[in-house]
Short mmCIF file of all heavy atoms in Angstrom, two decimals:
data_model
loop_
_atom_site.label_atom_id
_atom_site.label_comp_id
_atom_site.label_asym_id
_atom_site.label_seq_id
_atom_site.Cartn_x
_atom_site.Cartn_y
_atom_site.Cartn_z
N ALA T 1 -8.37 -8.76 -12.69
CA ALA T 1 -7.01 -8.26 -12.47
C ALA T 1 -6.84 -6.98 -13.27
O ALA T 1 -7.22 -6.93 -14.45
CB ALA T 1 -5.97 -9.29 -12.91
N VAL T 2 -6.31 -5.94 -12.63
CA VAL T 2 -6.10 -4.67 -13.30
C VAL T 2 -4.61 -4.39 -13.36
O VAL T 2 -3.93 -4.36 -12.33
CB VAL T 2 -6.82 -3.53 -12.54
CG1 VAL T 2 -6.56 -2.19 -13.22
CG2 VAL T 2 -8.32 -3.80 -12.46
N LEU T 3 -4.10 -4.20 -14.56
CA LEU T 3 -2.70 -3.86 -14.76
C LEU T 3 -2.58 -2.34 -14.93
O LEU T 3 -3.21 -1.76 -15.81
CB LEU T 3 -2.15 -4.56 -16.01
CG LEU T 3 -1.85 -6.05 -15.85
CD1 LEU T 3 -1.67 -6.71 -17.21
CD2 LEU T 3 -0.60 -6.26 -15.00
N VAL T 4 -1.77 -1.71 -14.09
CA VAL T 4 -1.63 -0.25 -14.11
C VAL T 4 -0.15 0.10 -14.18
O VAL T 4 0.73 -0.70 -13.85
CB VAL T 4 -2.26 0.40 -12.87
CG1 VAL T 4 -3.76 0.19 -12.85
CG2 VAL T 4 -1.63 -0.13 -11.59
N ASN T 5 0.12 1.33 -14.60
CA ASN T 5 1.50 1.79 -14.69
C ASN T 5 2.06 2.18 -13.32
O ASN T 5 3.25 2.10 -13.09
CB ASN T 5 1.59 2.99 -15.64
CG ASN T 5 1.27 2.63 -17.06
OD1 ASN T 5 2.01 1.90 -17.70
ND2 ASN T 5 0.15 3.11 -17.56
N ASP T 6 1.16 2.61 -12.42
CA ASP T 6 1.63 3.11 -11.12
C ASP T 6 0.53 2.88 -10.09
O ASP T 6 -0.61 3.32 -10.27
CB ASP T 6 1.95 4.60 -11.23
CG ASP T 6 2.42 5.20 -9.92
OD1 ASP T 6 2.78 4.42 -9.01
OD2 ASP T 6 2.43 6.44 -9.81
N PHE T 7 0.87 2.20 -9.01
CA PHE T 7 -0.10 1.98 -7.94
C PHE T 7 -0.64 3.29 -7.38
O PHE T 7 -1.79 3.39 -6.97
CB PHE T 7 0.54 1.19 -6.79
CG PHE T 7 0.61 -0.28 -7.05
CD1 PHE T 7 1.63 -1.04 -6.49
CD2 PHE T 7 -0.33 -0.93 -7.83
CE1 PHE T 7 1.70 -2.41 -6.71
CE2 PHE T 7 -0.27 -2.29 -8.06
CZ PHE T 7 0.76 -3.03 -7.49
N GLY T 8 0.21 4.31 -7.36
CA GLY T 8 -0.17 5.56 -6.72
C GLY T 8 -1.34 6.26 -7.39
O GLY T 8 -1.99 7.11 -6.79
N SER T 9 -1.61 5.91 -8.66
CA SER T 9 -2.70 6.57 -9.38
C SER T 9 -4.05 5.97 -9.08
O SER T 9 -5.08 6.53 -9.46
CB SER T 9 -2.44 6.50 -10.89
OG SER T 9 -2.48 5.15 -11.32
N VAL T 10 -4.09 4.82 -8.40
CA VAL T 10 -5.35 4.13 -8.11
C VAL T 10 -5.62 4.21 -6.61
O VAL T 10 -4.83 3.73 -5.80
CB VAL T 10 -5.29 2.66 -8.55
CG1 VAL T 10 -6.63 1.98 -8.29
CG2 VAL T 10 -4.95 2.56 -10.03
N ASN T 11 -6.72 4.83 -6.26
CA ASN T 11 -7.09 4.99 -4.85
C ASN T 11 -7.80 3.74 -4.36
O ASN T 11 -9.00 3.56 -4.56
CB ASN T 11 -8.00 6.22 -4.68
CG ASN T 11 -8.39 6.43 -3.23
OD1 ASN T 11 -7.68 6.01 -2.32
ND2 ASN T 11 -9.51 7.09 -3.01
N ILE T 12 -7.06 2.85 -3.70
CA ILE T 12 -7.61 1.59 -3.22
C ILE T 12 -7.98 1.72 -1.75
O ILE T 12 -7.16 2.13 -0.92
CB ILE T 12 -6.60 0.44 -3.42
CG1 ILE T 12 -6.24 0.32 -4.90
CG2 ILE T 12 -7.17 -0.87 -2.90
CD1 ILE T 12 -5.16 -0.71 -5.17
N ASP T 13 -9.20 1.37 -1.43
CA ASP T 13 -9.67 1.40 -0.04
C ASP T 13 -8.81 0.44 0.79
O ASP T 13 -8.74 -0.76 0.50
CB ASP T 13 -11.14 0.98 0.01
CG ASP T 13 -11.75 1.17 1.39
OD1 ASP T 13 -10.98 1.29 2.37
OD2 ASP T 13 -12.99 1.18 1.49
N SER T 14 -8.17 0.96 1.83
CA SER T 14 -7.26 0.14 2.63
C SER T 14 -7.97 -1.04 3.29
O SER T 14 -7.37 -2.08 3.55
CB SER T 14 -6.58 0.99 3.71
OG SER T 14 -7.56 1.57 4.57
N GLU T 15 -9.27 -0.91 3.54
CA GLU T 15 -10.01 -2.01 4.16
C GLU T 15 -10.19 -3.19 3.21
O GLU T 15 -10.48 -4.30 3.65
CB GLU T 15 -11.38 -1.51 4.63
CG GLU T 15 -11.29 -0.48 5.76
CD GLU T 15 -12.67 -0.07 6.26
OE1 GLU T 15 -13.66 -0.57 5.70
OE2 GLU T 15 -12.73 0.75 7.19
N LEU T 16 -10.02 -2.92 1.90
CA LEU T 16 -10.15 -4.01 0.93
C LEU T 16 -8.86 -4.79 0.75
O LEU T 16 -8.87 -5.93 0.28
CB LEU T 16 -10.57 -3.44 -0.43
CG LEU T 16 -12.06 -3.25 -0.70
CD1 LEU T 16 -12.25 -2.65 -2.09
CD2 LEU T 16 -12.80 -4.57 -0.61
N VAL T 17 -7.72 -4.19 1.09
CA VAL T 17 -6.42 -4.81 0.84
C VAL T 17 -6.20 -5.96 1.82
O VAL T 17 -6.23 -5.77 3.04
CB VAL T 17 -5.29 -3.78 0.96
CG1 VAL T 17 -3.94 -4.44 0.77
CG2 VAL T 17 -5.49 -2.66 -0.05
N VAL T 18 -5.97 -7.15 1.27
CA VAL T 18 -5.73 -8.32 2.11
C VAL T 18 -4.31 -8.85 1.95
O VAL T 18 -3.90 -9.75 2.69
CB VAL T 18 -6.74 -9.45 1.80
CG1 VAL T 18 -8.15 -9.00 2.15
CG2 VAL T 18 -6.66 -9.88 0.34
N GLY T 19 -3.56 -8.34 0.98
CA GLY T 19 -2.20 -8.80 0.80
C GLY T 19 -1.44 -7.94 -0.18
O GLY T 19 -2.00 -7.44 -1.15
N VAL T 20 -0.15 -7.72 0.09
CA VAL T 20 0.72 -6.95 -0.79
C VAL T 20 2.01 -7.75 -0.99
O VAL T 20 2.66 -8.14 -0.03
CB VAL T 20 1.06 -5.56 -0.21
CG1 VAL T 20 1.99 -4.82 -1.15
CG2 VAL T 20 -0.20 -4.77 0.06
N GLU T 21 2.33 -8.01 -2.25
CA GLU T 21 3.54 -8.77 -2.55
C GLU T 21 4.21 -8.19 -3.78
O GLU T 21 3.69 -8.30 -4.89
CB GLU T 21 3.20 -10.25 -2.79
CG GLU T 21 4.43 -11.11 -3.05
CD GLU T 21 4.08 -12.58 -3.24
OE1 GLU T 21 2.93 -12.95 -2.98
OE2 GLU T 21 4.97 -13.34 -3.65
N ASP T 22 5.36 -7.54 -3.58
CA ASP T 22 6.11 -6.91 -4.66
C ASP T 22 5.21 -5.97 -5.46
O ASP T 22 4.80 -4.95 -4.96
CB ASP T 22 6.75 -7.97 -5.56
CG ASP T 22 7.80 -8.79 -4.81
OD1 ASP T 22 8.41 -8.23 -3.88
OD2 ASP T 22 7.97 -9.98 -5.13
N ASP T 23 4.88 -6.36 -6.70
CA ASP T 23 4.12 -5.47 -7.56
C ASP T 23 2.67 -5.93 -7.73
O ASP T 23 2.05 -5.72 -8.76
CB ASP T 23 4.78 -5.35 -8.94
CG ASP T 23 4.98 -6.70 -9.61
OD1 ASP T 23 4.76 -7.73 -8.93
OD2 ASP T 23 5.35 -6.72 -10.79
N MET T 24 2.12 -6.54 -6.68
CA MET T 24 0.74 -7.01 -6.74
C MET T 24 0.03 -6.74 -5.42
O MET T 24 0.57 -6.98 -4.35
CB MET T 24 0.67 -8.50 -7.07
CG MET T 24 -0.77 -9.04 -7.16
SD MET T 24 -0.83 -10.82 -7.58
CE MET T 24 -0.14 -10.79 -9.23
N ILE T 25 -1.20 -6.22 -5.51
CA ILE T 25 -2.05 -5.99 -4.35
C ILE T 25 -3.28 -6.88 -4.48
O ILE T 25 -3.98 -6.84 -5.49
CB ILE T 25 -2.48 -4.51 -4.24
CG1 ILE T 25 -1.26 -3.61 -4.04
CG2 ILE T 25 -3.47 -4.32 -3.10
CD1 ILE T 25 -1.61 -2.13 -4.03
N SER T 26 -3.54 -7.70 -3.48
CA SER T 26 -4.71 -8.57 -3.47
C SER T 26 -5.82 -7.92 -2.66
O SER T 26 -5.57 -7.36 -1.59
CB SER T 26 -4.36 -9.94 -2.86
OG SER T 26 -3.34 -10.57 -3.60
N LEU T 27 -7.04 -8.00 -3.18
CA LEU T 27 -8.18 -7.36 -2.55
C LEU T 27 -9.17 -8.38 -2.04
O LEU T 27 -9.24 -9.51 -2.51
CB LEU T 27 -8.88 -6.42 -3.54
CG LEU T 27 -7.98 -5.36 -4.20
CD1 LEU T 27 -8.80 -4.49 -5.13
CD2 LEU T 27 -7.29 -4.52 -3.15
N ALA T 28 -9.98 -7.95 -1.07
CA ALA T 28 -10.91 -8.87 -0.41
C ALA T 28 -12.01 -9.35 -1.35
O ALA T 28 -12.61 -10.39 -1.13
CB ALA T 28 -11.54 -8.19 0.81
N ASN T 29 -12.31 -8.59 -2.41
CA ASN T 29 -13.37 -8.99 -3.33
C ASN T 29 -12.90 -9.94 -4.42
O ASN T 29 -13.62 -10.22 -5.37
CB ASN T 29 -14.01 -7.75 -3.97
CG ASN T 29 -13.01 -6.89 -4.72
OD1 ASN T 29 -11.85 -7.27 -4.88
ND2 ASN T 29 -13.45 -5.74 -5.18
N GLY T 30 -11.67 -10.44 -4.29
CA GLY T 30 -11.14 -11.39 -5.26
C GLY T 30 -10.37 -10.76 -6.39
O GLY T 30 -9.79 -11.47 -7.21
N CYS T 31 -10.36 -9.43 -6.47
CA CYS T 31 -9.62 -8.74 -7.53
C CYS T 31 -8.15 -8.57 -7.12
O CYS T 31 -7.80 -8.65 -5.94
CB CYS T 31 -10.23 -7.37 -7.80
SG CYS T 31 -11.91 -7.40 -8.43
N VAL T 32 -7.31 -8.33 -8.10
CA VAL T 32 -5.91 -7.99 -7.85
C VAL T 32 -5.56 -6.77 -8.68
O VAL T 32 -6.14 -6.52 -9.73
CB VAL T 32 -4.94 -9.15 -8.18
CG1 VAL T 32 -5.17 -10.32 -7.26
CG2 VAL T 32 -5.05 -9.56 -9.64
N CYS T 33 -4.61 -6.00 -8.18
CA CYS T 33 -4.12 -4.82 -8.88
C CYS T 33 -2.62 -5.00 -9.06
O CYS T 33 -1.88 -5.16 -8.07
CB CYS T 33 -4.42 -3.56 -8.08
SG CYS T 33 -4.03 -2.02 -8.94
N CYS T 34 -2.16 -5.04 -10.30
CA CYS T 34 -0.75 -5.34 -10.59
C CYS T 34 -0.09 -4.15 -11.27
O CYS T 34 -0.68 -3.50 -12.13
CB CYS T 34 -0.64 -6.56 -11.50
SG CYS T 34 -1.48 -8.02 -10.87
N GLU T 35 1.17 -3.91 -10.88
CA GLU T 35 1.94 -2.82 -11.47
C GLU T 35 2.81 -3.36 -12.59
O GLU T 35 3.49 -4.37 -12.44
CB GLU T 35 2.80 -2.15 -10.41
CG GLU T 35 3.47 -0.88 -10.89
CD GLU T 35 4.19 -0.16 -9.77
OE1 GLU T 35 4.38 -0.76 -8.69
OE2 GLU T 35 4.57 1.00 -9.96
N ILE T 36 2.75 -2.68 -13.75
CA ILE T 36 3.57 -3.07 -14.89
C ILE T 36 4.95 -2.46 -14.72
O ILE T 36 5.09 -1.23 -14.73
CB ILE T 36 2.94 -2.60 -16.21
CG1 ILE T 36 1.50 -3.07 -16.32
CG2 ILE T 36 3.75 -3.09 -17.41
CD1 ILE T 36 0.75 -2.45 -17.49
N ARG T 37 5.95 -3.31 -14.58
CA ARG T 37 7.30 -2.77 -14.38
C ARG T 37 8.19 -2.98 -15.60
O ARG T 37 8.96 -2.12 -15.97
CB ARG T 37 7.94 -3.44 -13.15
CG ARG T 37 7.29 -3.01 -11.85
CD ARG T 37 8.06 -3.53 -10.66
NE ARG T 37 7.51 -3.05 -9.40
CZ ARG T 37 7.98 -3.37 -8.21
NH1 ARG T 37 9.02 -4.20 -8.11
NH2 ARG T 37 7.44 -2.88 -7.10
N ASP T 38 8.11 -4.14 -16.19
CA ASP T 38 8.98 -4.43 -17.32
C ASP T 38 8.16 -4.84 -18.54
O ASP T 38 7.49 -4.03 -19.14
CB ASP T 38 9.99 -5.51 -16.94
CG ASP T 38 10.89 -5.09 -15.80
OD1 ASP T 38 11.47 -4.00 -15.90
OD2 ASP T 38 10.99 -5.82 -14.81
N ASP T 39 8.20 -6.12 -18.87
CA ASP T 39 7.56 -6.60 -20.08
C ASP T 39 6.06 -6.80 -19.86
O ASP T 39 5.63 -7.47 -18.91
CB ASP T 39 8.21 -7.93 -20.50
CG ASP T 39 7.63 -8.43 -21.80
OD1 ASP T 39 7.83 -7.77 -22.82
OD2 ASP T 39 6.97 -9.48 -21.78
#
């Protein structure tokens, strides 16, 4: 799991994206990319 300040700064291959929910992107390789919004 990668916590980032802004999704826009990470170039994620669209073919890897299997799900998007609020501030989390799920990838086909089992990884997730999460945006830090508050705490």
Side-chain angles (χ1 to χ4, degrees):
V2 179
L3 284 165
V4 295
N5 294 293
D6 179 16
F7 280 150
S9 64
V10 182
N11 181 25
I12 301 175
D13 188 342
S14 60
E15 294 183 359
L16 273 179
V17 177
V18 296
V20 179
E21 183 178 350
D22 295 330
D23 56 352
M24 181 179 295
I25 297 175
S26 300
L27 306 181
N29 58 6
C31 297
V32 295
C33 187
C34 306
E35 189 173 13
I36 306 171
R37 291 188 176 179
D38 299 308
D39 184 65

